[in-house]
Amino acid sequence: MTEAIRNIYCVGRNYRAHAAELGNDVPEQPMIFTKPTHALVEINGGELTLPGDQGEIHYETELVLHIAKPYAAGIKVDDIVDKYALGIDFTLRDVQNVIKKKGQPWLPAKGFLNSAPISSFRPFPGAAKLMETNFQLRQNGQVVQNGNISNMIFDLQTIIDYIAAHYGLGEGDIIYTGTPEGVGPVSNGDRLELTWDEEVFAAVTILI
């Protein structure tokens, strides 16, 4: 599955409550960054190794869109997206705090190996349908994130149009659409479950 992915776009600070919990300003336009394809890994119940020598690693659970065709002006979300998944944007938070102060790129904090785990993809039911259901992250059985895309600052259409206009968007690209509040650190041995409407999409055990 991951071999066919081309570009990995990510949206930062796309939920007001998440921006607030980290003390960040709410952006006036989408904040886009990328991850290398080497960061992407499908999770299917096994183990995932993350770096343990660079400070705290935080989970950020997100809806992920898969782009089915080249972007054309005026195309609608429901016509360009064919699949969706749940993913985690793992972040080296201590590293990020340092490089933000220096005004340096986020790549060291966001682009490390295995920093973009993802569930298997499901057929896209339409943007409106997705708003009817919450997605969650459970950490050792406890719900730590509970989000709904209706609470995004920039909706799916705005994100797609913005990325296409500034960076290009085509078949095989994926978009991590931002995380709700509740982000926090992971520890060695943690069991993480990504759920959609109580259905477990993917689970993974963290090794640090």
Side-chain angles (χ1 to χ4, degrees):
M1 181 272 294
T2 57
E3 291 82 1
I5 303 302
R6 295 177 63 198
N7 295 298
I8 305 171
Y9 293 110
C10 304
V11 186
R13 303 180 195 171
N14 201 24
Y15 290 77
R16 291 182 185 277
H18 170 58
E21 73 180 346
L22 295 184
N24 293 322
D25 294 334
V26 174
E28 296 182 0
Q29 59 186 15
M31 289 181 59
I32 307 300
F33 62 94
T34 64
K35 288 179 180 263
T37 53
H38 297 292
L40 193 68
V41 58
E42 186 172 4
I43 49 178
N44 52 15
E47 298 174 338
L48 184 70
T49 300
L50 299 174
D53 58 350
Q54 300 184 61
E56 283 194 345
I57 305 169
H58 281 202
Y59 53 76
E60 299 187 10
T61 308
E62 313 197 7
L63 170 74
V64 184
L65 305 178
H66 181 273
I67 303 301
K69 63 183 72 172
Y71 178 88
I75 195 168
K76 300 302 182 184
V77 172
D78 291 0
D79 295 323
I80 195 172
V81 176
D82 62 343
K83 296 182 287 188
Y84 76 107
L86 292 176
I88 302 175
D89 165 21
F90 276 121
T91 303
L92 291 168
R93 190 68 72 201
D94 292 336
V95 173
Q96 186 186 40
N97 289 339
V98 170
I99 61 181
K100 280 168 59 177
K101 292 177 181 178
K102 295 181 178 180
Q104 296 175 348
W106 285 11
L107 183 62
K110 293 283 194 177
F112 55 94
L113 288 173
N114 296 336
S115 65
I118 192 171
S119 73
S120 58
F121 282 99
R122 307 290 183 93
F124 187 68
K129 186 69 175 177
L130 291 185
M131 291 183 185
E132 298 176 3
T133 305
N134 288 8
F135 61 92
Q136 297 179 331
L137 178 69
R138 297 175 185 164
Q139 184 180 32
N140 302 320
Q142 180 77 28
V143 175
V144 290
Q145 285 192 280
N146 183 34
N148 189 296
I149 65 169
S150 64
N151 295 322
M152 288 179 171
I153 298 170
F154 305 104
D155 63 18
L156 301 184
Q157 187 69 58
T158 300
I159 291 168
I160 285 173
D161 291 340
Y162 186 90
I163 291 174
H166 290 81
Y167 310 109
L169 192 63
E171 180 180 359
D173 292 343
I174 64 173
I175 304 172
Y176 279 65
T177 58
T179 194
E181 70 275 14
V183 303
V186 292
S187 300
N188 184 56
D190 277 355
R191 185 69 172 174
L192 303 181
E193 294 177 317
L194 296 166
T195 69
W196 188 277
D197 194 23
E198 301 300 320
E199 178 188 356
V200 177
F201 268 31
V204 64
T205 298
I206 302 300
L207 299 180
I208 297 177

